Amino acid sequence: MTAGARDGGAGADGDTRERDTGADGGAAAGALLVVGDVVTDVVARYDEPLAAGTDTAARIRILPGGAGSNVACWAARTGRVDVRVLARVGADQASWHEAALRRAGVRPLLVRDEEAPTGTVVALVDGRVGAERTFLTDSGAVVRLSPADWSPRLLDGVAHLHLSGYLFFAETSRRTARLAMAAARERGVAVSVDPASTGFVAGWGVDRFLAAVAGVDVLFPNADEAVLLAGLPDPEAAAAALSRRYGLVAVTSGAAGALVARAGASVARVPAPRVRPVDTTGAGDAFTGGFLAARLTGASVAEAAEAGCRAGAEAVTTVGGRPGPPGRVPVPGP
């Protein structure tokens, strides 16, 4: 998912600078629980056309990833939010992933799967076209997250529940996601969802996906996902339409910035910082993590969108979907 949506100053539409405590989880004291995916990313960056049937030179790295766990790491980056992640991983790589999450400041709640391997994503990053990426995804243990892995007690001390959209594309993990959503509603905990993939949404069915995530408080689609879900050609119109079904919709559009809509109207448009992209993997996850962390620490919607765009801009300047070393400064774009 890519970070960012429309040009224009933050708060250009509507009055969003006030600190609110609405249903989308703003200014709520408590932890962020992410239920989603922990995967191993194989990131291959190349600068020449892929040569079918032979070799293409590339720079390849193996890194911890996964949309949900990336969101958690970017949220924890602020150092001001208690962040936890529930996911299912293969037993063979569980310790490696747990250590990576702890280093990022995230509390790992990983279920070890003795039968299925950890999910793996091959990210092909084309250096010729703004470091845009294409994914080859083996979900592995991710979609085996089962209702037995869930307990309402996981919501103890939690102010916001975020669900990775990848959970909705398989029956077992979908039932688990729905259980978590229901438990959150019972406790008055706000819920957000990232649609995750236009390909998987289209393959499963737009209407099915919309029905599965009915009642969520915040939706985090990128522009392509918003257009697909709303059935409208313009991302701004799509965001407005989707916000009539969901409490808040934050649409990201890469280098163009981010658009936030509520109750059928645009309430914030934020430009993305200009940087030189290296790898766009995880940029949308960074936006979501930055946005949620800001809201949980009292930011307005517009300020949260700004925080998300800053995180997304930082994400595209490093390889992989997780934050780079602390103190690293992104290289400004031309």
Side-chain angles (χ1 to χ4, degrees), residues 11 20 34 40 49 62 114 122 125 146 161 183 224 229 233 237 255 274 283 305:
D20 56 352
V34 178
T40 300
I62 298 175
E114 300 290 345
V122 178
V125 181
S146 73
L161 169 68
D224 291 340
L229 291 171
R274 297 181 66 183

Side-chain angles (χ1 to χ4, degrees), residues 119-132:
T120 302
V121 174
V122 178
L124 305 177
V125 181
D126 191 341
R128 301 167 300 160
V129 288
E132 189 54 75

Side-chain angles (χ1 to χ4, degrees), residues 10-250:
D13 290 312
D15 181 11
T16 60
R17 290 285 170 177
E18 74 281 2
R19 270 50 173 183
D20 56 352
T21 55
D24 58 61
L32 169 64
L33 173 63
V34 178
V35 180
D37 45 336
V38 169
V39 307
T40 300
D41 282 345
V42 180
V43 182
R45 295 184 293 149
Y46 60 96
D47 300 316
E48 301 293 335
L50 291 175
T54 186
D55 296 323
T56 301
R59 298 171 301 284
I60 300 173
R61 293 184 64 187
I62 298 175
L63 300 165
S69 52
N70 291 346
V71 168
C73 291
W74 284 100
R77 174 87 155 167
T78 66
R80 298 190 299 273
V81 179
D82 175 6
V83 185
R84 312 161 188 179
V85 61
L86 172 68
R88 196 172 183 93
V89 297
D92 59 329
Q93 295 185 356
S95 296
W96 182 61
H97 281 291
E98 286 173 342
L101 289 166
R102 288 195 183 96
R103 284 196 302 271
V106 175
R107 187 189 308 181
L109 306 171
L110 303 188
V111 180
R112 298 186 176 215
D113 195 314
E114 300 290 345
E115 298 179 4
T118 298
T120 302
V121 174
V122 178
L124 305 177
V125 181
D126 191 341
R128 301 167 300 160
V129 288
E132 189 54 75
R133 76 285 180 274
T134 299
F135 294 142
L136 301 174
T137 302
D138 178 352
S139 296
V142 168
V143 294
R144 287 166 55 91
L145 188 71
S146 73
D149 300 328
W150 170 257
S151 168
R153 292 192 300 274
L154 291 167
L155 291 172
D156 291 350
V158 169
H160 191 101
L161 169 68
H162 177 73
L163 299 169
S164 170
Y166 286 107
L167 297 176
F168 291 90
F169 304 129
E171 176 61 30
T172 298
S173 54
R174 181 165 58 249
R175 285 191 286 117
T176 308
R178 296 290 294 173
L179 273 177
M181 290 171 63
R185 286 196 195 98
E186 288 180 2
R187 294 196 179 202
V189 173
V191 180
S192 59
V193 173
D194 166 13
S197 167
T198 54
F200 285 167
V201 169
W204 187 43
V206 168
D207 290 342
R208 285 180 173 179
F209 182 82
L210 292 174
V213 301
V216 304
D217 302 292
V218 191
L219 194 67
F220 287 105
N222 66 19
D224 291 340
E225 291 159 356
V227 164
L228 174 65
L229 291 171
L232 296 171
D234 176 64
E236 185 168 357
L242 289 169
S243 72
R244 295 186 185 100
R245 301 183 63 150
Y246 307 101
L248 196 72
V249 177

Side-chain angles (χ1 to χ4, degrees), residues 213-301:
V213 301
V216 304
D217 302 292
V218 191
L219 194 67
F220 287 105
N222 66 19
D224 291 340
E225 291 159 356
V227 164
L228 174 65
L229 291 171
L232 296 171
D234 176 64
E236 185 168 357
L242 289 169
S243 72
R244 295 186 185 100
R245 301 183 63 150
Y246 307 101
L248 196 72
V249 177
V251 176
T252 57
S253 291
L259 166 71
V260 185
R262 174 186 273 162
S266 173
V267 295
R269 283 183 281 188
V270 179
R274 297 181 66 183
V275 296
R276 295 179 183 175
V278 172
D279 175 13
T280 57
T281 302
D285 305 331
F287 175 90
T288 299
F291 186 102
L292 291 175
R295 290 292 282 154
L296 286 169
T297 52
S300 69
V301 168

Side-chain angles (χ1 to χ4, degrees), residues 292-331:
L292 291 175
R295 290 292 282 154
L296 286 169
T297 52
S300 69
V301 168
E303 290 166 341
E306 290 171 348
C309 282
R310 288 194 299 270
E314 181 182 348
V316 302
T317 65
T318 190
V319 178
R322 303 274 180 90
R328 182 177 171 278
V329 178
V331 178

